[in-house]
Amino acid sequence: MKKLKLNKDYLITYGMVIGFYILMSILKGTGNLSSLFSGLLVPICVYTILAVSLNLTVGILGELSLGHAGFMCVGAFSSAFFSMCMKDIITNSFVRFFIALIISALVAALFGIIIGIPVLRLRGDYLAIVTLAFGEIIKNIVNILYVGKDSDGLHISIKDSISLGLKEDGKVIINGAQGITGTPHDSNFTVGIVLLLITLFVVLNFMNSRSGRAVMAIRDNRIAAESIGINISKYKLMAFSISAALAGVAGALYAHNLSTLNALPKNFGYNMSIMILVYVVLGGIGNIRGSILAAAILTVLPELLRGFADYRMLIYSVVLIALMLFNASPKGMEIKEKISPSRLLAAKKQTKEVQ
Amino acid sequence: MAMLDVTNLGISFGGLRAVDAFEVHIEKGELYGLIGPNGAGKTTVFNMLTGVYKPTDGVIKLDDKNITGMKTTQINQAGIARTFQNIRLFSQLTVLDNVKAGLHNGYEYSTVAGIFRLPSYRKMEKAMDEKALELLEVFDLDKEASLLAGNLPYGKQRKLEIARALATNPKLLLLDEPAAGMNPNETKELMDTIQLIREKFDMTILLIEHDMKLVSGICERLTVLNFGQVLAQGKTSDVLNDPEVIKAYLGE
């Protein structure tokens, strides 16, 4: 009985994403979508994937991460770098992008593990502090990194592009603060939606497996989890690195949607990390569907408010506060309950809200 | 040879000697009580037995295997499960999932199998569901299986904690004040439950308790701790009539 309801809840989440895809495709096909909005479709996918993956760390694992944009940055640059190197060798854009995605996930996961091993052993908010620093460090390192390629192989410098000492046939791939220019435009809305569905599949199935249960047990009561023989460090690290890997995938999607990729405070900095956290908090910590909705709405909102010119950010913040109040108020919960697509789940949800 | 052999166990926190020269030998299938006034060091003994604290000196042997200084996780796998004085459930998980978390090491499949729903996932999850429901039935909790553990009434939370501990398939069960905060009716019910687990699972139980009715009702032997030292040890009726013990509890 319980299993059935659970699956239904997930189907609604998947259905919502697919429905959004179909709707947007129709609008685009019939020419009813403004160019501004169609330009937002891939970013919506990027930010929803980021929000879902951060929810794995914040909601399921119960640890605060303030450097999620850092993992995105790592994924973006590693995949873009790969695509640039292989541009002429692997001409099939689908195969190239697929490999680039895997590389971005692996590199981001590797950074997740490197950070997680020392930090996740500690109790308290250390992860927040370390990830905060990590995000800033990665952004700044990328900004001074020069990598070039010629017939001799790769050249790396942290001074400038001239000190790379490239031959005639050489080409600068990562050009310091100017970043990577000319990344193949491999990502599109369809790819983004597929990646979002994969992210959902991984996160939701993980939550409902033996490992996910162990992670949530650790979140709820660490001492009790230890007492029933759950390996705390192992499962914390597992959840955190999966979360990082998915953020890396979002980064790859982001990088292959732009012709110029550079690490600015705006896209990979502290503000971005906080923004992703806002999606998670606004959508409800531990609530995957909420994260998707919040990320999509808050990505579109600033663009919709362009008409207000100077007052745009002012109105944006007011809307943010209003949404948050609505989310937390008993009346708001009642309304959400009524318009919820899964009336069947009402009983289960109520018990959750009483908590 | 006893199932649990504890010899000369002691721990110091800085200059404070919390427990000193603690000894206990529990036979298989025994129901053993550990009593003493507040602050006597009973829970500290539990914490040393389960690896939360590392003993300063002494040896703990379970089935002749030295488990002194092992980690909590390893000690649980060696066969000691416990409940807590202040209930520690996974309150955001369902009652069923709490027990399934306890089955974590008994039923293994890989994370990859879990994410991709491979056959091993289906097989193991099914077996876990069955086993967990079977355990919940013993405690009369099967009807609440899909509720969140945090929403259960107090008495049932206590029971669920015991069910979760039993799910790890232990040899020895440690109960830390199982009757704390219960009314006489609930305590009576708990006594029956404890007797039941002992018979049904052939369990060896060591419990800390303040409720003398419960202690005299079900424990076969007792150890009395006072200021970290063993004050008396032996058959329940003998120990409870010991003038030293009465003095420690009631004053002169």
Side-chain angles (χ1 to χ4, degrees):
Chain A
M1 193 61 197
K2 185 197 144 231
K3 269 259 142 66
L4 201 81
K5 277 184 181 172
L6 220 68
N7 286 340
K8 206 165 231 164
D9 197 24
Y10 293 163
L11 285 182
I12 291 167
T13 311
Y14 291 125
M16 202 174 76
V17 175
I18 295 168
F20 174 73
Y21 174 67
I22 294 172
L23 181 73
M24 287 304 136
S25 301
I26 292 172
L27 284 178
K28 213 173 165 187
T30 54
N32 283 322
L33 206 62
S34 69
S35 65
L36 182 86
F37 200 80
S38 60
L40 275 177
L41 291 177
V42 175
I44 287 175
C45 295
V46 171
Y47 297 126
T48 45
I49 293 172
L50 282 169
V52 171
S53 70
L54 183 62
N55 212 336
L56 183 60
T57 301
V58 176
I60 312 302
L61 176 61
E63 294 273 351
L64 190 58
S65 164
L66 293 178
H68 220 55
F71 294 114
M72 181 192 173
C73 180
V74 169
F77 275 88
S78 58
S79 64
F81 178 71
F82 170 81
S83 291
M84 287 298 286
C85 290
M86 295 294 153
K87 214 170 172 181
D88 306 319
I89 301 166
I90 308 173
T91 44
N92 183 330
S93 69
F94 179 78
V95 174
R96 189 180 55 218
F97 189 49
F98 183 74
I99 300 173
L101 282 175
I102 292 185
I103 287 176
S104 68
L106 289 179
V107 174
L110 180 73
F111 275 90
I113 291 168
I114 292 171
I115 292 175
I117 285 176
V119 179
L120 289 172
R121 288 167 172 276
L122 306 169
R123 293 168 219 202
D125 295 327
Y126 296 99
L127 188 69
I129 299 162
V130 174
T131 47
L132 174 65
F134 163 75
E136 292 302 297
I137 291 168
I138 282 295
K139 191 192 74 199
N140 290 325
I141 287 180
V142 167
N143 269 326
I144 56 156
L145 193 65
Y146 294 85
V147 180
K149 193 181 128 191
D150 60 13
S151 49
D152 286 349
L154 289 175
H155 298 258
I156 300 171
S157 162
I158 51 168
K159 251 169 81 194
D160 50 38
S161 55
I162 299 151
S163 62
L164 285 171
L166 291 175
K167 285 187 181 168
E168 292 275 309
D169 62 339
K171 190 175 69 173
V172 180
I173 297 177
I174 302 179
N175 193 8
Q178 279 149 31
I180 301 179
T181 313
T183 320
H185 204 290
D186 288 337
S187 59
N188 54 44
F189 184 44
T190 312
V191 172
I193 288 289
V194 170
L195 289 177
L196 175 57
L197 287 173
I198 291 173
T199 306
L200 278 174
F201 181 81
V202 169
V203 172
L204 293 177
N205 283 358
F206 178 76
M207 272 169 74
N208 281 286
S209 70
R210 171 175 168 269
S211 312
R213 205 156 37 230
V215 170
M216 289 189 280
I218 295 166
R219 170 198 68 189
D220 278 3
N221 204 313
R222 182 198 161 98
I223 292 171
E226 241 173 348
S227 85
I228 56 168
I230 290 173
N231 186 339
I232 306 279
S233 308
K234 176 184 161 189
Y235 284 101
K236 276 179 140 182
L237 195 60
M238 186 187 285
F240 187 63
S241 51
I242 291 176
S243 170
L246 293 172
V249 168
L253 184 65
Y254 177 85
H256 290 77
N257 188 42
L258 300 169
S259 45
T260 306
L261 176 72
N262 43 15
L264 303 168
K266 184 177 91 208
N267 55 6
F268 295 131
Y270 172 68
N271 284 345
M272 193 62 235
S273 294
I274 294 294
M275 203 59 226
I276 305 167
L277 191 62
V278 168
Y279 303 150
V280 172
V281 173
L282 199 62
I285 291 172
N287 182 349
I288 303 293
R289 199 193 303 156
S291 296
I292 299 179
L293 282 174
I297 292 171
L298 291 187
T299 309
V300 175
L301 198 62
E303 301 303 325
L304 289 181
L305 294 175
R306 271 201 193 281
F308 294 96
D310 288 349
Y311 300 103
R312 183 164 73 110
M313 288 327 275
L314 187 67
I315 294 171
Y316 178 79
S317 49
V318 171
V319 172
L320 205 61
I321 292 168
L323 269 175
M324 228 170 251
L325 287 175
F326 173 78
N327 253 349
S329 70
K331 256 286 184 281
M333 283 179 184
E334 233 171 73
I335 295 169
K336 271 196 294 182
E337 199 69 45
K338 272 182 198 153
I339 59 168
S340 151
S342 50
R343 274 269 180 89
L344 281 169
L345 287 159
K348 194 185 149 206
K349 272 198 178 152
Q350 250 161 18
T351 54
K352 248 184 203 165
E353 271 156 20
V354 169
Q355 266 254 305
Chain B
M1 183 205 68
M3 171 177 241
L4 181 74
D5 271 309
V6 180
T7 38
N8 194 29
L9 191 68
I11 188 167
S12 306
F13 296 109
L16 177 79
R17 190 74 178 160
V19 173
D20 189 37
F22 178 81
E23 301 232 355
V24 75
H25 304 279
I26 302 175
E27 299 296 332
K28 185 169 167 37
E30 205 171 6
L31 218 167
Y32 202 102
L34 179 59
I35 65 170
N38 286 327
K42 304 181 297 291
T43 300
T44 309
V45 168
F46 264 34
N47 282 340
M48 284 192 282
L49 291 181
T50 53
V52 176
Y53 298 150
K54 276 208 169 67
T56 320
D57 36 32
V59 178
I60 306 166
K61 278 186 179 172
L62 182 73
D63 268 347
D64 217 19
K65 188 183 160 205
N66 192 347
I67 57 165
T68 324
M70 271 162 73
K71 281 185 187 153
T72 310
T73 317
Q74 294 168 316
I75 287 181
N76 176 260
Q77 281 164 14
I80 298 182
R82 73 174 292 185
T83 66
F84 296 87
Q85 191 172 353
N86 44 344
I87 303 174
R88 288 178 182 274
L89 286 173
F90 308 131
S91 54
Q92 299 292 313
L93 297 186
T94 62
V95 170
L96 186 72
D97 278 350
N98 266 270
V99 180
K100 280 167 88 177
L103 294 170
H104 184 80
N105 288 319
Y107 296 74
E108 289 192 32
Y109 62 83
S110 70
T111 307
V112 175
I115 290 176
F116 294 102
R117 302 275 144 118
L118 300 181
S120 62
Y121 162 85
R122 291 177 195 282
K123 205 178 105 201
M124 280 303 173
E125 281 290 309
K126 195 162 168 265
M128 279 169 121
D129 277 337
E130 278 165 13
K131 177 77 189 163
L133 277 174
E134 198 183 301
L135 268 168
L136 286 175
E137 243 168 77
V138 175
F139 293 90
D140 202 19
L141 283 165
D142 48 323
K143 282 176 208 69
E144 283 95 347
S146 58
L147 282 184
L148 290 184
N151 292 350
L152 283 182
Y154 185 79
K156 293 193 170 178
Q157 293 199 359
R158 284 253 174 235
K159 281 186 178 176
L160 178 58
E161 218 190 9
I162 300 175
R164 185 183 67 193
L166 284 174
T168 64
N169 197 17
K171 294 174 187 161
L172 173 71
L173 182 63
L174 309 182
L175 302 175
D176 197 346
E177 293 200 28
M182 285 189 171
N183 64 35
N185 279 337
E186 287 173 320
T187 307
K188 178 80 190 46
E189 205 185 313
L190 180 78
M191 280 167 72
D192 295 340
T193 314
I194 293 174
Q195 292 281 21
L196 180 79
I197 345 176
R198 188 185 168 196
E199 283 156 28
K200 204 173 157 73
F201 299 93
D202 196 19
M203 193 59 60
T204 313
I205 299 170
L206 169 61
L207 62 85
I208 294 177
E209 193 45 75
H210 278 304
D211 191 316
M212 283 307 144
K213 224 157 130 199
L214 186 141
V215 171
S216 59
I218 59 172
C219 293
E220 284 146 3
R221 288 199 294 153
L222 288 181
T223 290
V224 187
L225 265 185
N226 195 22
F227 296 115
Q229 283 177 330
V230 177
L231 189 67
Q233 204 156 29
K235 278 214 168 94
T236 303
S237 52
D238 296 348
V239 170
L240 289 182
N241 291 323
D242 188 327
E244 282 289 319
V245 175
I246 296 172
K247 204 168 90 184
Y249 259 96
L250 301 174
E252 295 198 53

